[in-house]
Amino acid sequence: MKIQKVEQSYNTVQNAAHATSFKGVNLGSQITELLPNKKAISMLSKFKKFNGEGGGILINSIGTGAIAPLFIAFNPLVKAPKDATPEQKKDVENTKKYTAMRQPISAVLAILIQFGLQKPMDIALDSLFNNPNVAKHLWLSLDQSALNNDGYVERKIAKEMNKEKSHFKDKKAYKEELQKRVAAYKEEQLNKVIKNLKDNKQIKIGSRIVENKELARVINKQIDSYLEDARSFLQDEKGILFYKDRAEILMNNEEELKRILTNLPSDEKALDSYLKKQLANTKNTDVKTILQEIIDYPSKELRESRCARTLQRCDTIRKACGGTYNSEKYVQSMLDDNSYLRKFILKLEDCKVKNLDAADLNTVKKQIKNVIEACSYSSDNVRADRIFKNAFTFLTDKNQLSNKIHKDIAKCYKTVIGNRYKGFNQLAKIVIGALITVPVTCTALNWVYPRFMDIFFPKLSGKKGGDK
């Protein structure tokens, strides 16, 4: 799940409070802390380093070298005949052990050769499709020269910094400067693509123009993202019942909650102590529930935001009921919000191009214009303003919205090309592996294996104490 979407859902509650945005807060880690299986998730996240093909080779090699030999050396299905002599039985056991030793040697060679070639192959392929002088001769659908991938940009900037022979006080300072320049370079590239998209409604890659049907397909994909955001505001029956019950709790205890949650201590420890003291002092079980939820948040920023949202929600609930709280009116307001959202979603869905093959420049221009219209709303629309006020996707300012949508389309195109390139990269390395890497590894194994066994396990190899 994208953090932006989680943050949007977290910050904007349907028919509830308008939340504050969490600038500077790592929501990914904060949300993980709130999950019931956070320890298991934290443990699994440590295995991220094994992601990708390199991690697959490493894990496969560990299994080949450490586990497979045991099943080969002690395979109960392979045994000498019943009438075999002790020497024959010993020979069978030695043969199994000799065969088993091939596995760890194979694993070591796989790590040295296959794993060792991963990075050079990635660099070589990146150079082909990110370098404008080379990429212009290759498929446009894989051309990343206008929007380079992260690895290529980092290597490019690192080379430039090395040529400058700049001095940094430590490795951390060097990395910070590197990341700063990388971010600036990527932003510059993105802005160039965005400008051309805004001016000409085209994505230009070097001297080539992305086909209209391809651009329309990308915009359709971006519309899907907007639709997902819009649907996140819809409330199902369970959600409506939850917010109905929560509204009862808040409105029935509004005065006490205002007293407790106003003028909070600014220090984190003092805030924690204050909330726990209030929890212990109140006799109201509903207020206890609210306070315990606030205390359970893992950081000061989230606790403060939840306190503010709780107070704001009371005002929002009252407004949703026309000024005076009423349970039935509040439920009806949520149902009316759902009805408005469904119409909003249908309007957004109509922006998608159905016949992509027939898409031309005018189609793309009209599509972008329709998306801007569909994602905008009037600040005079009380219902829309209450639903979307703190959303990231839907805005009242059309100029600001236009800038955002053009940027989203450019970033979506980069993601599409990036994903397409990853698939090609994997396929290319499979082909390279089948034609070069695997034959080299097998040849090396056939040469190393018998010599290794002769040196370190001569009895098993048959060099001493019997036939091979």
Side-chain angles (χ1 to χ4, degrees):
M1 185 180 292
K2 295 180 181 177
I3 290 301
Q4 185 187 37
K5 290 177 183 175
V6 175
E7 188 175 62
Q8 173 176 306
S9 179
Y10 193 88
N11 285 351
T12 308
V13 180
Q14 178 84 357
N15 297 300
H18 302 318
T20 55
S21 59
F22 297 95
K23 295 181 179 178
V25 180
N26 184 349
L27 267 182
S29 60
Q30 303 288 16
I31 292 169
T32 300
E33 283 294 317
L34 295 173
L35 297 175
N37 298 319
K38 62 181 181 180
K39 290 184 178 179
I41 293 170
S42 178
M43 182 183 71
L44 289 173
S45 67
K46 294 178 181 178
F47 291 92
K48 281 184 179 179
K49 63 183 73 174
F50 295 107
N51 257 351
E53 190 175 354
I57 291 172
L58 193 59
I59 293 172
N60 185 58
S61 297
I62 291 171
T64 300
I67 300 173
L70 299 176
F71 290 93
I72 296 172
F74 302 102
N75 187 352
L77 301 177
V78 178
K79 51 189 176 181
K82 292 182 180 180
D83 57 347
T85 64
E87 288 79 9
Q88 289 175 321
K89 291 180 180 179
K90 184 66 175 176
D91 184 58
V92 170
E93 293 300 314
N94 286 345
T95 299
K96 290 197 292 183
K97 291 176 182 177
Y98 180 83
T99 305
M101 284 303 298
R102 186 181 178 89
Q103 300 306 112
I105 297 171
S106 174
V108 171
L109 289 173
I111 292 173
L112 292 175
I113 298 175
Q114 295 179 28
F115 188 76
L117 287 175
Q118 287 303 304
K119 190 170 183 180
M121 282 195 289
D122 280 331
I123 292 173
L125 289 169
D126 280 356
S127 296
L128 290 175
F129 291 95
N130 284 268
N131 187 323
N133 296 325
V134 181
K136 65 183 180 181
H137 301 296
L138 302 173
W139 302 283
L140 177 60
S141 59
L142 295 172
D143 190 343
Q144 299 182 94
S145 59
L147 294 166
N148 297 150
N149 65 33
D150 293 350
Y152 181 83
V153 175
E154 286 185 12
R155 289 189 292 272
K156 178 183 174 67
I157 300 299
K159 285 180 181 179
E160 293 175 357
M161 289 175 65
N162 291 336
K163 286 181 181 179
E164 294 173 6
K165 296 182 179 179
S166 302
H167 296 285
F168 300 91
K169 62 179 181 180
D170 53 31
K171 194 173 182 180
K172 182 181 178 182
Y174 169 80
K175 285 187 175 180
E176 287 177 351
E177 178 63 21
L178 174 63
Q179 292 305 316
K180 180 181 176 182
R181 294 193 189 189
V182 165
Y185 184 87
K186 288 163 61 179
E187 188 69 18
E188 182 183 358
Q189 280 196 323
L190 184 63
N191 287 336
K192 286 181 181 178
V193 174
I194 292 171
K195 185 178 185 306
N196 189 68
L197 181 61
K198 288 182 70 176
D199 294 344
N200 306 307
K201 298 300 179 278
Q202 294 175 325
I203 290 180
K204 191 175 181 181
I205 309 296
S207 59
R208 298 187 288 183
I209 303 296
V210 173
E211 288 186 349
N212 292 309
K213 66 177 182 179
E214 176 67 14
L215 181 52
R217 183 180 287 109
V218 169
I219 298 172
N220 278 358
K221 187 175 180 64
Q222 187 57 46
I223 292 172
D224 286 336
S225 176
Y226 295 154
L227 286 168
E228 186 179 343
D229 291 342
R231 292 186 184 109
S232 71
F233 292 100
L234 286 168
Q235 291 293 346
D236 57 15
E237 184 178 351
K238 185 177 179 181
I240 290 173
L241 288 174
F242 170 81
Y243 286 115
K244 174 179 178 286
D245 294 341
R246 180 51 58 97
E248 289 283 347
I249 292 174
L250 293 176
M251 301 310 293
N252 291 338
N253 300 283
E254 184 177 7
E255 292 304 318
E256 186 173 0
L257 288 170
K258 279 185 177 180
R259 176 184 62 78
I260 295 173
L261 302 180
T262 304
N263 299 323
L264 298 170
S266 57
D267 180 73
E268 183 172 4
K269 290 184 178 178
L271 175 62
D272 188 56
S273 176
Y274 170 79
L275 292 172
K276 288 179 179 177
K277 183 179 178 181
Q278 295 298 324
L279 176 66
N281 290 340
T282 185
K283 295 180 180 178
N284 189 313
T285 55
D286 289 334
V287 174
K288 280 181 180 289
T289 298
I290 300 295
L291 289 176
Q292 188 61 60
E293 289 177 1
I294 296 171
I295 291 169
D296 287 341
Y297 280 91
S299 73
K300 173 178 174 287
E301 290 84 1
L302 290 175
R303 292 189 195 106
E304 286 177 334
S305 177
R306 174 62 192 275
C307 290
R309 289 187 297 114
T310 299
L311 297 178
Q312 291 169 352
R313 185 179 293 180
C314 293
D315 293 332
T316 305
I317 292 170
R318 194 177 293 107
K319 288 179 182 178
C321 298
T324 303
Y325 171 68
N326 178 279
S327 180
E328 286 73 21
K329 284 184 179 180
Y330 184 55
V331 170
Q332 187 58 50
S333 176
M334 286 190 280
L335 293 173
D336 291 342
D337 283 353
N338 277 354
S339 178
Y340 169 81
L341 280 165
R342 290 189 184 98
K343 292 178 182 177
F344 188 92
I345 289 167
L346 285 174
K347 183 180 177 182
L348 191 51
E349 284 179 337
D350 285 342
C351 296
K352 297 177 74 171
V353 173
K354 308 301 186 292
N355 186 2
L356 292 170
D357 290 331
D360 56 15
L361 184 58
N362 288 328
T363 304
V364 172
K365 288 180 179 179
K366 184 179 178 181
Q367 186 182 21
I368 294 175
K369 182 181 177 182
N370 289 343
V371 174
I372 294 171
E373 288 293 329
C375 289
S376 64
Y377 67 94
S378 172
S379 57
D380 295 331
N381 186 328
V382 177
R383 186 178 305 281
D385 191 57
R386 175 161 45 81
I387 295 171
F388 298 136
K389 189 173 181 63
N390 288 291
F392 295 93
T393 304
F394 312 110
L395 304 171
T396 57
D397 188 329
K398 288 190 179 181
N399 287 329
Q400 184 182 354
L401 185 59
S402 175
N403 292 334
K404 178 188 178 300
I405 287 173
H406 283 92
K407 185 174 184 178
D408 288 344
I409 294 170
K411 291 171 73 173
C412 185
Y413 177 77
K414 181 177 180 178
T415 300
V416 168
I417 296 300
N419 290 337
R420 191 179 293 158
Y421 172 74
K422 285 178 184 176
F424 171 82
N425 180 283
Q426 294 294 321
L427 181 61
K429 285 190 285 190
I430 289 171
V431 173
I432 292 171
L435 299 178
I436 300 174
T437 310
V438 172
V440 169
T441 304
C442 291
T443 301
L445 177 62
N446 291 333
W447 188 88
V448 170
Y449 175 52
R451 288 165 177 78
F452 176 88
M453 296 301 292
D454 285 346
I455 295 171
F456 295 100
F457 301 95
K459 290 185 178 180
L460 290 179
S461 70
K463 186 174 182 180
K464 295 181 182 179
D467 294 334
K468 291 185 180 181

